[in-house]
């Protein structure tokens, strides 16, 4: 059996390909909602955050043959813990990473961190739409909410804990867009127009993460975009196509089955 870190639509698709190829999987996700999606797809799933020791214990207890990490490009902590746990358990760890994109446009500014994004947004002021989720919301509210001539619109998943976080951070209800994607370019255009957005903040999540639709709409409306670059992590063996993952799994599992 293979331990598979999931949580995104392309990860789910990859997991199903591995399953169809005859490899039994135990998938892991962080949220209950993601867990329901994996179960709906017919995949065994474990829900919750795991430490490196948790990963090691799980691999050992279930005699797992390898770890395939297809978690979100910005789920860096989960990836670090999984790789550390796999090394301790002496099983192969491989990473599926969506291909990066290039964005040569004067309206797009790349930054290396959430803090840098918040600082740049503070300089721009205006109507700022966050499409970066709730995890790092505090970084932006601390730097932006008290500024004059500035309104912060936060788009995030419609979860109870997200709404509670917004309330605790002082983000007004009228500035919360609680909705789940993926979104079309047309939807983004309507949303930007509705709020009069002047700056949009996003992450370089890859094409599958609907970055294109957000960007195309922003560029059409001449909206400034601040894009947070992916964390720089040494994953070891990293692949960007399903075919490469399937081939590598076949090689490793075949070798371990004959050891």
């Amino acid at each position: 059996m293979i331990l598979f870190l999931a949580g995104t639509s392309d990860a789910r698709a990859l997991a199903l390909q591995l399953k169809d190829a005859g490899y039994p999987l135990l998938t892991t996700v962080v949220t209950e909602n993601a867990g329901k999606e994996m179960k709906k797809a017919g995949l065994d799933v474990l829900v919750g955050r795991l430490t490196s020791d948790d990963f090691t214990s799980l691999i050992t207890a279930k005699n797992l043959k390898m770890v395939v990490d297809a978690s979100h490009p910005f789920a860096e902590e989960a990836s670090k813990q999984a790789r550390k746990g796999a090394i301790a358990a002496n099983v192969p760890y491989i990473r599926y990473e969506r291909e990066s994109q290039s964005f040569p446009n004067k309206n797009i500014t790349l930054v290396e961190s959430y803090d840098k994004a918040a600082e740049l947004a503070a300089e721009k002021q205006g109507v700022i739409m966050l499409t970066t989720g709730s995890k790092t919301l505090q970084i932006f509210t601390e730097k932006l909410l008290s500024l004059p001539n500035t309104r912060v619109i936060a788009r995030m998943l419609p979860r109870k804990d997200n709404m509670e976080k917004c309330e605790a951070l002082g983000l007004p209800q009228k500035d919360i867009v609680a909705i789940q994607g993926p979104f079309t370019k047309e939807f983004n255009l309507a949303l930007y127009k509705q709020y009069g957005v002047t700056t949009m903040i996003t992450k370089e999540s890859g094409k599958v993460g609907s970055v294109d639709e957000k960007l195309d709409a922003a560029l059409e409306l001449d909206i400034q975009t601040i894009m947070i670059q992916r964390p720089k992590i040494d994953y070891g063996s990293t692949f960007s196509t399903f075919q490469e993952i399937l081939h590598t799994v076949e090689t490793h599992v075949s070798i371990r089955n004959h050891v």
Side-chain angles (χ1 to χ4, degrees):
M1 181 178 281
I2 294 167
L3 184 61
F4 187 96
L5 276 70
T8 63
S9 59
D10 51 334
R12 187 164 62 251
L14 175 56
L16 288 172
Q17 282 203 19
L18 285 167
K19 182 184 177 183
D20 290 344
Y23 299 104
L25 301 177
L26 174 60
T27 65
T28 72
V29 296
V30 173
T31 67
E32 290 290 343
N33 187 62
K36 289 177 183 176
E37 291 298 317
M38 300 305 284
K39 289 178 183 176
K40 194 184 298 182
L43 295 161
D44 292 333
V45 63
L46 178 66
V47 179
R49 297 185 186 279
L50 301 176
T51 65
S52 60
D53 289 340
D54 292 333
F55 277 112
T56 302
S57 298
L58 184 62
I59 292 165
T60 303
K62 293 189 174 292
N63 192 30
L64 302 173
K65 301 299 183 182
M66 70 183 304
V67 174
V68 177
D69 178 7
S71 59
H72 192 277
F74 281 80
E76 61 264 39
E77 190 57 34
S79 294
K80 288 176 182 177
Q81 296 300 318
R83 187 177 182 220
K84 186 177 178 182
I87 291 171
N90 195 31
V91 299
Y93 165 97
I94 62 173
R95 168 72 174 164
Y96 167 72
E97 181 86 333
R98 300 169 180 172
E99 286 188 358
S100 293
Q101 297 169 277
S102 58
F103 305 96
N105 189 285
K106 64 180 178 61
N107 278 353
I108 301 173
T109 304
L110 299 176
V111 295
E112 61 187 21
S113 68
Y114 294 96
D115 285 299
K116 293 289 186 184
E119 290 169 7
L120 182 56
E123 293 175 12
K124 293 179 180 294
Q125 299 188 8
V127 180
I128 300 161
M129 176 164 284
L130 303 175
T131 66
T132 48
S134 63
K135 185 178 177 182
T136 57
L137 182 60
Q138 186 171 355
I139 294 173
F140 295 99
T141 55
E142 285 181 349
K143 287 185 168 65
L144 301 174
L145 284 188
S146 62
L147 293 177
N149 307 313
T150 302
R151 183 182 182 189
V152 179
I153 309 296
R155 189 170 88 182
M156 63 187 63
L157 292 173
R159 296 200 323 241
K160 181 182 177 182
D161 58 326
N162 284 349
M163 300 306 101
E164 291 172 344
K165 186 170 190 177
C166 287
E167 182 178 8
L169 293 174
L171 192 70
Q173 287 185 13
K174 63 184 176 67
D175 294 337
I176 302 169
V177 180
I179 193 168
Q180 182 166 349
F183 307 108
T184 63
K185 176 185 174 182
E186 290 70 27
F187 178 90
N188 285 299
L189 282 169
L191 195 61
Y192 298 155
K193 289 177 182 177
Q194 173 69 25
Y195 287 97
V197 175
T198 57
T199 297
M200 187 267 289
I201 302 178
T202 188
K203 299 182 290 189
E204 200 278 282
S205 299
K207 191 175 182 66
V208 182
S210 297
V211 172
D212 279 0
E213 290 78 3
K214 283 188 282 190
L215 273 181
D216 287 347
L219 294 175
E220 183 170 317
L221 296 176
D222 203 30
I223 293 171
Q224 296 292 310
T225 295
I226 300 172
M227 181 173 290
I228 302 162
Q229 296 173 295
R230 293 184 190 183
K232 294 178 174 59
I233 300 173
D234 178 12
Y235 294 106
S237 298
T238 304
F239 306 96
S240 59
T241 68
F242 287 9
Q243 185 177 2
E244 290 172 312
I245 292 291
L246 286 162
H247 175 71
T248 306
V249 167
E250 180 183 9
T251 302
H252 279 296
V253 172
S254 175
I255 290 172
R256 294 186 71 81
N257 283 339
H258 289 87
V259 172

